[in-house]
Amino acid sequence: MNKKKRYAVMAAAICVFMYADANDTIRTGRIDEVVVTAERSRKTNIFETIPVQSLSGNDIRQLGLQNIADAVKRMAGTNVKDYGGIGGMKTVSVRNLGAQHTAVSYDGITVSNTQAGQIDIGRFSLDNVGMLSMAIGQGSDIMQTARHYASAALLAIETERPVLDKGDSRLRLALKGGSWGQLNPSVRWWCQAGENTMTTLDADYMRADGRYPFVLRNGKEKSNEKRNNSDIEQWHGEANVLHKFGDGGSLDTKAYFYHSQRGVPGSVVLYNDNSKERLWDENFFLQTAYKRHIARQWKLAIRAKYTHSWNKYEDTNAKYANGKKTEVNRQDEYYTSATLGWKPTSWLEMALAEDVAVNKLRTTVNGSPNPLRTTSLTALVSKAKYGRMTIEGNIVMTYATESLTESEKYAIKKPEDRKKLSPSLSFSYRLLPDEALYVRAMTKSTFRLPTFNDLYYLQIGNTSLRPENAHEYGAGMTWNSRPIGPLRYVALTIDAYYNDVTDKIVAFPSTYIWKMVNFGKAEIKGIDATMGTEVDIVKGYSIVANGSLTWQEAKDKTEGSATYGSQLPYTPKVSGGLSVMLLTPWVNVGYSATGQGKRYSMAQNTREYQLDGYMEHSLSLSRDFLLGDNMLRLQLTVNNITDKQYEIIKYYPMPGRSVTASATLDI
């Protein structure tokens, strides 16, 4: 279907639901405010028109997961690239669209990295996470930002917000330690400063030497080695002020700081894993979000954010003129967003979102013109619920322009301005009026702008690059059972999808050097399935189980390519995860497993580049103790209990068996 036809179908669908006749009655009146608190349901994804998977903070802690990447690996359709170790970089791709197509949101506002285009999710702490969710396409909140609507997938991190009475405060002290020198103290403090104001403070420190053992194999020979240059030391702190106004509005302000210094472990090839590369990272952002209903049918959300990122890369090697290579990069982003929502009837909602971002890069890398990019995103959104059907549609308009401060010095041509319309449409239908059985389907067009590295890095950058386009198509079925005796629920989802990526940005060899070009094309087909259930065994004893399974075929369809028809690198055909929690009055037991089938490190699908499949198992034991008015939680986690040696990235061995112990005191 061509662009004009897609736009016409979407416009017609939206118009039909805008002017349909609904026989709902609206009653108005005033009632006293009622505050209801409860744990979020694990089953809400079945009602959405798009696939959404989530993990609550409590589930994450019960399973003893160590970082955000460990949690994301348990979600269907996700592919996490992990370079191993506690401090290794970790990025996430959804349905093989690439990490640059996946947006990462922190308390409702996206995290940016215009230089590289991908976010290292390993830097985020799990200690203060209240909910972690992954949505294919945008999130489910109609009042979200235009950046969310423009993404192909959205990983949303929401921090925990306790409910306190006026004047109350809570303090949480935690200490975690484990294998390979891991030490991780943290402190959290919440205070209800006034009837309508809450303040929170979070701080944590983590260090580890990362010298985990592994077996090095070279043909028939093998030796026991230890990983080198995999140490990390990091600090993280954030402060929040959450205020509610008398008119129903709210203002949330967050200041966030992260600093780390780490070794960059090299690849292990022919008994040589020596590496003297070091990386320093700093990230600071200040963000604020204001929300309120401005009339019975209207609501407004305004967000603003300033981000400063700094990183330094250093490599000590005799091949450099002075024996050392140093690169320093600084990024600044000024971002603002406004979303206006309108609900003219009980069955129809509409929204208009406008985002503007200004990104600036300053680097010591010779040849960089220090670019500045201004991006405007406009999203027009409609969501209608009529009877048993829900339909959502949006159109995102993107405009990006760049200026180069030193273009003449390096003879670099300014890129052309980029304009793009990206439509999306999704729906769900409840098949039976008395059963939570739904079918759903979606189509979504997105693209990702070339990163600053794609355009300008050294001599391989190419300012003539076009945006990389992705078209997503999916259909599926979801079901949630009613409680049956001790069975609280069973939730099942299955979704089939087809993704078409064109103008893929790849590094391509030219006469003398590599060059970034729009050369690639990929077709991705797959099936995602998830399962969740909770069973009461006897009073005080219950089991919670969740599982995910993905089958995926991602082929290189680049005309003239020597690897045409081959499975894309690092794409297993089968992957999945399982978690089971046994909850008892005495001790809680959490078991989890993740695994992948065989895959290839290169586009050539030969035995030489094959990575074997693996399954990693973890076990966690925890118990809560009531000490007067205080609560103490002790937890012991054994990761990779079978001591399985495997690699996610070739020549980067993952850690074997490790033990982590933690104590958390709530005062």
Side-chain angles (χ1 to χ4, degrees):
M1 185 182 292
N2 61 35
K3 295 180 182 177
K4 291 183 178 179
K5 289 183 178 180
R6 281 203 302 268
Y7 297 159
V9 169
M10 176 172 293
I14 293 175
C15 289
V16 166
F17 280 88
M18 284 180 61
Y19 292 99
D21 181 24
N23 295 320
D24 295 333
T25 300
I26 300 175
R27 304 181 188 276
T28 62
R30 180 177 178 180
I31 61 174
D32 294 334
E33 180 181 8
V34 178
V35 178
V36 178
T37 62
E39 182 181 353
R40 293 192 181 189
S41 170
R42 306 179 183 91
K43 305 163 285 183
T44 54
N45 60 326
I46 69 158
F47 305 106
E48 304 292 347
T49 61
I50 55 175
V52 180
Q53 302 168 72
S54 60
L55 272 173
S56 71
N58 188 54
D59 289 346
I60 289 171
R61 286 180 278 276
Q62 293 283 8
L63 291 171
L65 304 182
Q66 300 300 302
N67 52 59
I68 295 286
D70 286 343
V72 173
K73 288 175 185 177
R74 284 152 177 77
M75 297 180 177
T78 61
N79 185 11
V80 176
K81 285 189 176 181
D82 191 333
Y83 288 83
I86 297 173
M89 185 176 180
K90 300 165 178 61
T91 61
V92 59
S93 171
V94 178
R95 293 184 174 179
N96 223 281
L97 292 173
Q100 291 90 345
H101 287 271
T102 303
V104 178
S105 170
Y106 198 78
D107 279 340
I109 302 179
T110 50
V111 182
S112 68
N113 184 343
T114 308
Q115 181 184 4
Q118 54 189 359
I119 303 300
D120 180 7
I121 61 175
R123 83 174 200 227
F124 296 106
S125 172
L126 273 180
D127 294 336
N128 64 343
V129 171
M131 180 66 67
L132 183 70
S133 64
M134 175 67 77
I136 308 299
Q138 69 280 348
S140 56
D141 180 12
I142 197 171
M143 294 297 292
Q144 63 196 301
T145 69
R147 266 188 176 175
H148 288 183
Y149 286 109
S151 63
L154 176 67
L155 174 63
I157 305 169
E158 298 178 27
T159 56
E160 185 180 5
R161 297 189 179 190
V163 177
L164 301 176
D165 295 326
K166 182 179 179 180
D168 280 358
S169 63
R170 281 179 55 186
L171 179 65
R172 175 177 294 171
L173 303 173
L175 180 62
K176 183 188 300 182
S179 302
W180 315 308
Q182 182 185 359
L183 180 65
N184 181 200
S186 64
V187 58
R188 303 199 66 203
W189 178 74
W190 302 276
C191 176
Q192 191 71 33
E195 184 175 352
N196 298 313
T197 304
M198 178 187 291
T199 58
T200 73
L201 293 173
D202 292 88
D204 64 81
Y205 165 82
M206 194 268 285
R207 61 88 55 203
D209 57 49
R211 287 184 53 79
Y212 54 88
F214 66 96
V215 177
L216 179 62
R217 291 180 171 85
N218 182 24
K220 295 181 180 181
E221 299 181 11
K222 64 179 182 179
S223 61
N224 295 319
E225 308 288 339
K226 281 196 173 184
R227 200 69 167 111
N228 291 320
N229 203 38
S230 188
D231 62 293
I232 184 172
E233 187 173 23
Q234 68 179 33
W235 298 262
H236 156 250
E238 61 183 84
N240 297 271
V241 178
L242 316 174
H243 181 75
K244 292 184 178 180
F245 297 97
D247 59 6
S250 65
L251 180 67
D252 296 352
T253 302
K254 176 189 295 288
Y256 174 99
F257 177 76
Y258 170 85
H259 174 86
S260 72
Q261 55 175 311
R262 70 183 85 178
V264 181
S267 58
V268 179
V269 183
L270 297 178
Y271 299 98
N272 179 24
D273 67 340
N274 183 45
S275 174
K276 295 183 179 180
E277 298 172 277
R278 305 292 297 176
L279 185 65
W280 290 259
D281 279 298
E282 274 188 9
N283 185 270
F284 167 80
F285 66 75
L286 178 66
Q287 69 181 39
T288 187
Y290 173 75
K291 302 176 184 179
R292 67 160 293 191
H293 281 79
I294 54 179
R296 187 173 63 88
Q297 297 178 335
W298 297 86
K299 50 187 175 181
L300 178 68
I302 299 175
R303 304 171 178 92
K305 183 175 184 178
Y306 167 71
T307 304
H308 175 73
S309 301
W310 173 90
N311 69 74
K312 182 175 76 169
Y313 167 80
E314 192 173 86
D315 184 19
T316 303
N317 196 302
K319 66 182 179 181
Y320 303 121
N322 299 320
K324 184 177 292 186
K325 176 184 178 181
T326 302
E327 294 180 2
V328 177
N329 302 285
R330 293 178 174 86
Q331 295 184 74
D332 292 282
E333 179 181 79
Y334 305 88
Y335 170 80
T336 184
S337 171
T339 305
L340 181 64
W342 179 44
K343 189 172 184 179
T345 71
S346 62
W347 54 270
L348 176 66
E349 287 184 273
M350 299 186 72
L352 177 65
E354 173 65 29
D355 290 12
V356 176
V358 178
N359 294 87
K360 180 170 61 175
L361 173 66
R362 293 165 291 160
T363 177
T364 61
V365 177
N366 289 331
S368 174
N370 290 333
L372 184 145
R373 174 182 292 174
T374 301
T375 307
S376 169
L377 294 167
T378 306
L380 178 62
V381 189
S382 180
K383 181 176 182 179
K385 295 183 178 181
Y386 191 77
R388 286 185 270 165
M389 177 174 283
T390 300
I391 186 168
E392 298 183 52
N394 67 73
I395 298 177
V396 179
M397 172 64 186
T398 303
Y399 173 76
T401 184
E402 289 177 29
S403 60
L404 310 178
T405 58
E406 300 185 28
S407 58
E408 295 182 0
K409 177 179 177 181
Y410 298 111
I412 296 177
K413 182 183 70 173
K414 172 185 173 299
E416 297 291 332
D417 294 347
R418 301 171 181 88
K419 302 175 183 178
K420 188 78 173 180
L421 273 177
S422 304
S424 300
L425 183 66
S426 61
F427 83 93
S428 69
Y429 182 75
R430 187 168 184 166
L431 293 175
L432 301 173
D434 299 324
E435 290 291 335
L437 178 64
Y438 294 80
V439 292
R440 62 188 178 195
M442 64 168 287
T443 176
K444 185 176 180 71
S445 296
T446 58
F447 75 102
R448 68 109 169 164
L449 290 169
T451 67
F452 284 159
N453 282 351
D454 293 335
L455 295 167
Y456 310 111
Y457 189 74
L458 294 178
Q459 293 180 308
I460 70 172
N462 181 0
T463 58
S464 298
L465 288 174
R466 299 182 299 276
E468 185 176 298
N469 294 284
H471 303 285
E472 303 174 76
Y473 307 91
M477 182 174 290
T478 68
W479 175 67
N480 190 86
S481 73
R482 299 179 180 182
I484 305 173
L487 188 67
R488 293 191 181 183
Y489 71 90
V490 175
L492 301 173
T493 73
I494 184 167
D495 290 274
Y497 56 89
Y498 170 79
N499 297 333
D500 181 23
V501 182
T502 57
D503 281 337
K504 193 170 182 64
I505 299 173
V506 297
F508 192 76
S510 61
T511 307
Y512 299 106
I513 59 174
W514 288 68
K515 200 77 172 175
M516 304 304 296
V517 297
N518 291 107
F519 185 76
K521 177 178 171 62
E523 292 183 359
I524 301 113
K525 296 182 289 186
I527 298 174
D528 292 340
T530 68
M531 177 277 296
T533 188
E534 185 169 356
V535 182
D536 290 327
I537 305 173
V538 294
K539 186 176 181 180
Y541 294 78
S542 63
I543 292 177
V544 180
N546 292 277
S548 66
L549 183 66
T550 295
W551 174 85
Q552 188 177 97
E553 191 176 76
K555 300 290 188 180
D556 177 8
K557 294 295 183 179
T558 305
E559 293 294 338
S561 170
T563 58
Y564 183 91
S566 298
Q567 186 85 343
L568 295 179
Y570 295 111
T571 304
K573 286 197 172 182
V574 179
S575 61
L578 174 67
S579 64
V580 180
M581 291 182 290
L582 173 63
L583 308 179
T584 78
W586 304 99
V587 65
N588 295 325
V589 182
Y591 164 80
S592 65
T594 58
Q596 294 184 351
K598 71 176 183 180
R599 56 234 182 271
Y600 299 92
S601 62
M602 300 290 286
Q604 294 83 3
N605 293 175
T606 61
R607 177 62 191 172
E608 177 185 0
Y609 301 113
Q610 180 178 313
L611 292 171
D612 295 332
Y614 71 90
M615 181 67 75
E616 180 187 325
H617 308 264
S618 298
L619 187 67
S620 177
L621 304 175
S622 64
R623 181 172 177 178
D624 294 340
F625 298 88
L626 189 61
L627 306 177
D629 294 332
N630 306 321
M631 182 69 71
L632 174 67
R633 164 176 282 193
L634 300 179
Q635 185 161 0
L636 179 69
T637 302
V638 182
N639 297 297
N640 196 355
I641 56 180
T642 62
D643 202 25
K644 174 71 175 178
Q645 180 172 323
Y646 64 97
E647 298 172 340
I648 294 180
I649 303 296
K650 192 172 180 65
Y651 304 127
Y652 287 82
M654 295 292 289
R657 184 187 300 114
S658 64
V659 179
T660 304
S662 66
T664 304
L665 179 64
D666 280 306
I667 301 175

